[in-house]
Amino acid sequence: MAGTCLVRGSINIDEFFRVPHIAHAGETLSSTGELTRRAGGKGANQAAAIARAGGNVQLVGAVGTDGDWVKQQLSEAGVDVKGVHIHPEISTGRAIIQLTPEGTNHLALHPPSYHLAPPITHLLLQNEILQETTLEFLKYAKEKGIRTIYNPSPLLPKEEIAKFPWGMVDYLLLNEHEAAALADATAPHAHAHSLPPTSKAPQIATVLTRLQQPLFQHCTVILTLGGQGVVAHISKDEIYYLPAATLRGTVRDSTGAGDCFTGYFVEGLLSGREKEQDGWKGLLRRCVVAAGMCVERSGAMGSIPTAAEVDERLNELGQM
């Protein structure tokens, strides 16, 4: 029987500005299109991705009265939003997103407030909520035997990284930049256990090797690499690399692609896909294809494909 994941994370209103390039310090840019507002936040996006992938998911957080439509969209996506409270005293979190013609983006966040949650089988956390809240939920999950998935984005300050209870994390999902910064902040001069070379992407083994420190050796590490694909260190003898999906069409918007990948990964854990015939490779392939489809569309939450759409694409590719 599939489990249920609790997502304790941010719920934002994303405001998109199309710009010729990411603004530098002191630079003023004019947007090349109309301001677009969409539902977002890493917690909301990842919860919606789990739901659209076919998983059972509850989201806990808060919005202001200006964000009641965001809660409605989450509900329509299949997310259990009983734990999402609407508070008249707060404003819904905002993410100001600069979107370039190439589809890259830069975010500036204003975080809102949050509340507590019920027990579940899996817990998914990110770094867009108060750190003390994240630590409370991790401790609770550890006590109850709940499997924990941590997407440390945005990355904590160096002093917080050193104090973080990494031993409470079962699955660590991060990109290559976060992985490099995390390795530097924890043991920049430590000797790491070398991983076997990866012939398809030898530079990836170097990044992943730097995380082979005692602090993280108990974690399953999933390292996303954008256009290069993904590498997963499941155990000492299980390392998988998959290239990125081949994109179709002309729209290229990377906003939400990482959250889409995370949501499909968590759904895979909930339904036990890593135990099926294709194992971890099959689970990761599904995540990569879903994230690729997300990039083919505009927006964050609204660009996440459904399980049926991903199955159709996999069938077309002969990978079902």
Side-chain angles (χ1 to χ4, degrees), residues 18 84 87 126 185 200 203 256-257 263:
R18 293 192 173 272
V84 176
H87 292 277
Q126 318 83 23
K200 293 183 180 179
Q203 75 281 10

Side-chain angles (χ1 to χ4, degrees), residues 192-193 211-221 233-235:
H193 168 67
L211 281 181
Q212 301 312 296
Q213 305 166 14
L215 204 58
F216 307 112
Q217 283 182 354
H218 66 283
C219 296
T220 293
V221 178
H233 184 216
I234 307 302
S235 66

Side-chain angles (χ1 to χ4, degrees), residues 28-224:
T28 300
L29 288 177
S30 295
S31 175
T32 58
E34 293 183 359
L35 168 66
T36 304
R37 290 186 174 90
R38 296 192 179 100
K42 295 194 76 66
N45 289 341
Q46 293 177 4
I50 294 170
R52 286 187 177 153
N56 299 318
V57 57
Q58 300 176 15
L59 177 62
V60 173
V63 295
T65 53
D66 58 337
D68 56 352
W69 61 274
V70 178
K71 180 177 179 178
Q72 180 62 32
Q73 282 195 13
L74 285 162
S75 179
E76 292 170 357
V79 178
D80 183 337
V81 293
K82 290 192 294 290
V84 176
H85 301 280
I86 298 177
H87 292 277
E89 296 86 5
I90 68 170
S91 294
T92 303
R94 290 294 198 279
I96 309 303
I97 302 174
Q98 301 175 52
L99 187 64
T100 70
E102 295 76 27
T104 55
N105 61 78
H106 174 78
L107 285 77
L109 295 168
H110 167 64
S113 305
Y114 299 93
H115 291 270
L116 296 178
I120 31 69
T121 60
H122 291 71
L123 173 69
L124 173 59
L125 295 164
Q126 318 83 23
N127 283 342
E128 288 185 353
I129 62 174
L130 297 175
Q131 183 66 1
E132 53 263 38
T133 302
T134 295
L135 295 176
E136 287 174 3
F137 273 74
L138 272 176
K139 182 179 178 181
Y140 176 83
K142 191 71 173 179
E143 291 173 351
K144 299 297 182 180
I146 294 169
R147 304 296 286 173
T148 55
I149 307 102
Y150 184 40
N151 173 214
S153 179
L155 201 62
L156 296 168
K158 188 172 182 177
E159 61 273 14
E160 294 296 328
I161 289 174
K163 297 187 295 183
F164 193 85
W166 298 102
M168 295 184 180
V169 177
D170 296 307
Y171 299 92
L172 181 61
L173 275 71
L174 66 172
N175 63 37
E176 58 183 320
H177 307 294
E178 292 161 348
L182 194 57
D184 286 341
T186 50
H189 305 296
H191 173 71
H193 168 67
S194 296
L195 297 176
T198 306
S199 59
K200 293 183 180 179
Q203 75 281 10
I204 295 171
T206 301
V207 177
L208 195 56
T209 290
R210 295 180 62 209
L211 281 181
Q212 301 312 296
Q213 305 166 14
L215 204 58
F216 307 112
Q217 283 182 354
H218 66 283
C219 296
T220 293
V221 178
I222 310 297
L223 183 58
T224 58

